[in-house]
Amino acid sequence: IISGAAVLNALELVGKRIEDVKIVFSGAGAAAVATARFYRSLGARPDRMLFCDRAGVIYAGRTEHMNEVKKEFAVETDARTLADAMVGADVFIGLSTAGAVTQDMLKTMTENPVVMALANPDPEITYEEAIEARPDAIVATGRSDYPNQVNNVLGFPFIFRGALDVRATQINEPMKTAASYALAALAKEDVPDSVVKAYGQEAIHFGKDYLIPKPLDPRVLLWVAPAVAKAAMESGVARTPVDLDQYRAQLEARLGKSREVMRIMINKARANPKRLVLSEGEHHKMIRAAAQMVDDGIAQPILLGREEVIRGKAAELQIHLDGVQVVDPAASNQCERYAERIYELRCRKGVTRTEANELITNPNYYAAVMVDLGDSDAMISGLSFHYPEALRPPLQIIRTRNGSNVAAGVYLVTTRQRVVFFADTTVNVEPDAETLAEITILTARLARDFDVEPRVALLSFSNFGSARQARSEGIRRAVEIIRQREPGLIVDGEMQASTALNEEILNGTYPFNRLHKEANVLIFPNLEAGNIGYKLVQRLANAEVIGPILVGMRKPVYIMQRGDEVKDIVNLGAIAVVEAQKRQNAEDSGAGRGG
Ligand SMILES: CC(C)(COP(=O)(O)OP(=O)(O)OC[C@H]1O[C@@H](n2cnc3c(N)ncnc32)[C@H](O)[C@@H]1OP(=O)(O)O)[C@@H](O)C(=O)NCCC(=O)NCCS
């Protein structure tokens, strides 16, 4: 099944069809027999497959070293040795022993041969020897230290997962071919940064050296198991059919809490994808994220940047840009209008017309004005800027929500058991009580967007007055302000992190507390604590983080951190779209009431 996926993709790359090619097998044991039978299901022609065992080619009429199974593969041929068989072969499948095939044999194969030397741990011919003999070959082995590792781990756990989850009565051919096609298709998808990093590579793209997904790629579960389950249902062997969308969501939840949490947002975003401008449109991560957002149906991305650069990079990355709008600010006829808007907003903040014309050449200003004027519904930037540098234009142009002058950065920190919101982690350096109260209210609202009922702890080094310092007084004052403004919100403090996250301490030592259960929103006393806090959990406890989610802005704008990955951009994209939907709903219902 795994080698089948690799063969299908290798043949696609060299423009051949499995129905037409000559395939030579070295080995006629259980593995070779099962593989050959499976290749028939994939379309290979029995009369174009030649088998060789220790006695040579299995030809029609051979009598020595034969058995019933081998007879099934005996064909009319004059070839008697593996060397004879290899002449003109398109595909070599080695399921035998180290050294079974030679460089001279490979030299007699057709153009662009596919060489799958799968004997383990030492293949029929080493990767280096194969490439040396045939630089035009596509080579796969069973080894992890060379490209195209045909590894069983890509198959059996997920095939059984899919089969068992629908309580299939058997694993039939449609289920097996579905697994192969799913693996072949997944190899053509953009590879997550985490997988690229895990393999210590700079980039991984579909091609000669990447025919099938990497064994550590977590997406294999999400592609193979549902494909197998679907095939089982369609072929009538599933005893408990499942809803495939729900099934995918369940599988995703197995991959970690953050995926489960993001699934909520992604589903909400899909219901009504919005325009999302990515100001660093020439950045390869933004291009990849844009394509992924279109594929996932969560947004209508707009990449800002030079069209030829963006399209060139996309082609290099083998990424399609269907559904992605590309806007080159330099060539746009909106520059004047946008500069005028900057001037209008900033003329009393010292910005002259000339300066406004200059500012609009900065993509972060351009994107911010797009959002301000409604030409995009949301914006993401920050990958190649220092955070404050990327944040300032949206703060100046998009501004904070009416009634508040605070924006704050929130991270969702997820561990196996918990989802906890951390704030403020990115914006307010030394917040006073008023600002802390505002940060708390904004973060609690965000938690509700994620379908989490907030229980908020304002953190300190002190537990409910145990250390009477000006700092902890300020936090206590913040709690009072919050209680006045949002009487329904479950909030308490000041308290230590260990108290906030431990029900026994909370209720045992401080029975008067108002949380009663562990907090799921942690408000840090200042930016140092918040920023250090989430990074420690991320690094030391391997917690996954989603964010930073900027709250408090008049329109959805999110600033990434340098080094963030494509998955982080896509996550924020989904969050941005959901936020844009909320704003639109609020506007629509406001307009409805007005009318
Ligand atoms: C947020 C930050 C960029 C503001 O910078 P600043 O030098 O104060 O910039 P300015 O004073 O020019 O403020 C820019 C605009 O943002 C507004 N603003 C400043 N701080 C704000 C806040 N916390 N919330 C909302 N708006 C804010 C200002 O009112 C100003 O608008 P105006 O010019 O229309 O009056 C700054 O506080 C900062 O650098 N924070 C730390 C960011 C950081 O390094 N994070 C850690 C890495 S992730």
Side-chain angles (χ1 to χ4, degrees):
I1 293 168
I2 322 300
S3 73
V7 167
L8 287 175
N9 275 346
L11 291 175
E12 184 182 317
L13 282 170
V14 297
K16 298 181 187 175
R17 294 174 349 127
I18 193 163
E19 290 81 2
D20 305 328
V21 293
K22 175 179 171 186
I23 307 176
V24 174
F25 285 83
S26 168
V33 166
T35 303
R37 285 184 180 149
F38 180 65
Y39 285 10
R40 285 187 201 153
S41 301
L42 292 177
R45 279 194 5 220
D47 61 321
R48 302 279 287 148
M49 291 199 272
L50 273 188
F51 272 74
C52 289
D53 60 10
R54 280 193 197 91
V57 172
I58 299 178
Y59 56 89
R62 193 178 103 171
T63 50
E64 67 281 17
H65 300 295
M66 288 296 281
N67 59 34
E68 280 311 303
V69 178
K70 288 185 188 174
K71 272 190 201 155
E72 182 188 329
F73 296 99
V75 288
E76 296 288 347
T77 174
D78 296 333
R80 290 296 177 265
T81 63
L82 179 60
D84 297 342
M86 290 290 277
V87 178
D90 302 283
V91 179
F92 167 77
I93 307 288
L95 291 159
S96 50
T97 54
V101 76
T102 63
Q103 286 189 317
D104 284 342
M105 292 184 199
L106 295 196
K107 285 181 185 159
T108 65
M109 293 179 78
T110 54
E111 227 182 311
N112 301 320
V114 177
V115 177
M116 315 261 293
L118 304 178
N120 239 346
D122 298 313
E124 284 76 1
I125 184 164
T126 66
Y127 182 84
E128 289 90 352
E129 285 169 343
I131 291 291
E132 187 187 61
R134 290 301 299 260
D136 61 336
I138 297 184
V139 182
T141 67
R143 295 182 60 127
S144 57
D145 44 356
Y146 292 102
N148 302 320
Q149 188 195 10
V150 175
N151 186 328
N152 277 340
V153 83
L154 284 170
F156 60 80
F158 315 116
I159 294 169
F160 287 124
R161 174 88 266 158
L164 292 172
D165 285 340
V166 293
R167 301 190 61 228
T169 51
Q170 53 173 276
I171 294 181
N172 58 23
E173 284 311 289
M175 291 158 76
K176 290 193 276 177
T177 50
S180 231
Y181 290 135
L183 285 171
L186 176 57
K188 293 176 197 157
E189 293 287 311
D190 189 37
V191 182
D193 296 325
S194 55
V195 175
V196 178
K197 268 190 209 157
Y199 285 89
Q201 296 187 7
E202 296 248 303
I204 300 178
H205 301 300
F206 178 59
K208 265 180 96 164
D209 289 342
Y210 177 67
L211 296 173
I212 44 174
K214 295 283 186 187
L216 286 183
D217 190 332
R219 299 170 305 161
V220 179
L221 168 71
L222 306 178
W223 283 65
V224 176
V228 171
K230 181 167 179 269
M233 291 193 286
E234 286 171 358
S235 60
V237 298
R239 277 183 295 185
T240 2
V242 293
D243 173 289
L244 281 170
D245 284 338
Q246 274 175 19
Y247 180 48
R248 275 191 205 98
Q250 281 166 16
L251 291 173
E252 206 152 10
R254 287 173 184 273
L255 294 179
K257 258 282 183 256
S258 69
R259 277 181 179 255
E260 188 184 341
V261 169
M262 276 314 302
R263 181 57 38 201
I264 299 171
M265 282 297 172
I266 286 171
N267 287 341
K268 286 184 185 179
R270 271 193 192 140
N272 185 8
K274 297 280 173 195
R275 295 163 305 167
L276 170 67
V277 58
L278 306 173
S279 63
E280 296 146 297
E282 293 181 10
H283 198 294
H284 70 99
K285 288 185 185 173
M286 291 292 184
I287 297 173
R288 290 166 56 200
Q292 203 173 315
M293 286 191 255
V294 171
D295 287 346
D296 291 349
I298 57 179
Q300 301 167 25
I302 305 167
L303 290 171
L304 284 194
R306 290 162 295 174
E307 178 129 17
E308 70 285 2
V309 174
I310 293 174
R311 297 212 179 272
K313 280 195 182 168
E316 217 173 277
L317 294 163
Q318 301 177 14
I319 281 175
H320 72 84
L321 288 180
D322 305 341
V324 177
Q325 195 188 336
V326 176
V327 171
D328 182 352
S332 150
N333 56 8
Q334 298 294 335
C335 274
E336 213 174 297
R337 178 173 157 243
Y338 287 3
E340 186 56 30
R341 179 63 177 158
I342 294 183
Y343 177 69
E344 187 188 333
L345 288 169
R346 308 292 302 166
C347 59
R348 286 181 183 276
K349 303 260 180 188
V351 173
T352 63
R353 271 219 157 79
T354 315
E355 280 165 344
N357 287 335
E358 259 166 41
L359 287 176
I360 204 59
T361 61
N362 173 332
N364 286 329
Y365 277 98
Y366 193 95
V369 179
M370 272 183 99
V371 174
D372 174 63
L373 290 178
D375 291 343
S376 174
D377 301 302
M379 128 177 206
I380 292 183
S381 100
L383 276 186
S384 42
F385 299 90
H386 288 297
Y387 193 85
E389 210 184 320
L391 178 59
R392 220 169 264 122
L395 282 178
Q396 292 173 346
I397 303 296
I398 299 175
R399 294 155 289 150
T400 48
R401 290 181 113 151
N402 284 345
S404 157
N405 54 8
V406 174
V410 184
Y411 269 102
L412 252 88
V413 178
T414 66
T415 60
R416 260 193 185 282
Q417 307 84 15
R418 305 184 207 238
V419 179
V420 183
F421 294 74
F422 281 36
D424 172 13
T425 53
T426 59
V427 182
N428 299 275
V429 180
E430 205 58 70
D432 56 15
E434 243 333 290
T435 308
L436 273 180
E438 200 59 42
I439 293 169
T440 305
I441 290 167
L442 291 168
T443 310
R445 275 188 208 149
L446 179 74
R448 289 200 186 99
D449 290 343
F450 279 87
D451 298 343
V452 170
E453 193 46 41
R455 288 187 307 278
V456 189
L458 276 81
L459 299 184
S460 169
F461 50 83
S462 155
N463 274 318
F464 304 101
S466 66
R468 293 196 153 266
Q469 301 277 342
R471 274 176 178 273
S472 43
E473 291 291 342
I475 299 170
R476 272 204 294 282
R477 230 180 26 261
V479 174
E480 279 164 27
I481 300 170
I482 299 161
R483 288 203 178 124
Q484 276 165 13
R485 288 199 197 147
E486 293 257 331
L489 182 63
I490 302 171
V491 57
D492 217 332
E494 87 291 356
M495 70 180 88
Q496 295 180 358
S498 50
T499 307
L501 296 173
N502 187 320
E503 219 167 294
E504 271 171 40
I505 304 182
L506 262 177
N507 297 334
T509 317
Y510 308 104
F512 53 85
N513 85 84
R514 298 209 190 166
L515 298 186
H516 303 305
K517 281 164 88 181
E518 291 154 359
N520 52 21
V521 175
L522 300 181
I523 304 298
F524 289 82
N526 60 27
L527 190 55
E528 275 167 346
N531 195 276
I532 293 168
Y534 93 82
K535 283 185 176 151
L536 284 180
V537 194
Q538 187 182 22
R539 299 288 166 211
L540 293 180
N542 267 338
E544 290 189 66
V545 302
I546 299 169
I549 306 170
L550 193 60
V551 290
M553 298 297 287
R554 207 166 48 83
K555 297 204 171 177
V557 38
Y558 300 95
I559 311 297
M560 314 286 315
Q561 307 260 32
R562 284 162 170 236
D564 276 350
E565 297 182 356
V566 173
K567 111 176 148 2
D568 301 311
I569 307 170
V570 174
N571 282 345
L572 278 187
I575 293 166
V577 167
V578 173
E579 191 56 36
Q581 292 168 350
K582 254 179 56 187
R583 308 289 165 108
Q584 189 188 16
N585 291 344
E587 268 173 35
D588 290 352
S589 59
R593 276 199 301 277

